[in-house]
């Protein structure tokens, strides 16, 4: 995100996508619900997990 969370972190994990986004601060764990338009406007960069990280584990 462009702005930092009050704890100082700028990286968030996306938990739910739809009309609203539910994101979680990676540092403190606080969850935030925000409208899709606001999140899309404030995204700076998208970091993705490597392919097969959790999908191939049993």
């Amino acid at each position: 995100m462009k702005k930092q969370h009050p704890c100082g972190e700028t990286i968030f994990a996306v938990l739910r996508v739809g009309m609203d986004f539910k994101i979680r601060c990676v540092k403190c764990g606080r969850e935030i619900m925000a409208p899709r338009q606001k999140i899309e406007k404030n995204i700076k960069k998208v970091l993705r997990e490597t392919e097969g990280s959790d999908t191939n584990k049993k």
Side-chain angles (χ1 to χ4, degrees):
M1 300 291 286
K2 290 181 183 176
K3 292 186 177 183
Q4 290 184 348
H5 189 251
C7 70
E9 186 63 54
T10 57
I11 300 173
F12 295 85
V14 177
L15 303 176
R16 188 174 76 93
V17 179
M19 286 298 292
D20 295 324
F21 272 58
K22 185 172 188 179
I23 58 175
R24 178 185 296 144
C25 176
V26 173
K27 184 176 179 182
C28 68
R30 170 81 45 122
E31 293 182 0
I32 303 151
M33 291 280 293
R36 181 182 200 100
Q37 186 177 19
K38 183 175 181 181
I39 297 289
E40 287 177 347
K41 181 179 129 187
N42 290 318
I43 289 176
K44 194 173 193 179
K45 186 192 314 183
V46 176
L47 303 174
R48 298 180 190 268
E49 293 182 7
T50 58
E51 289 184 25
S53 61
D54 290 331
T55 56
N56 293 333
K57 293 181 181 179
K58 291 184 180 180

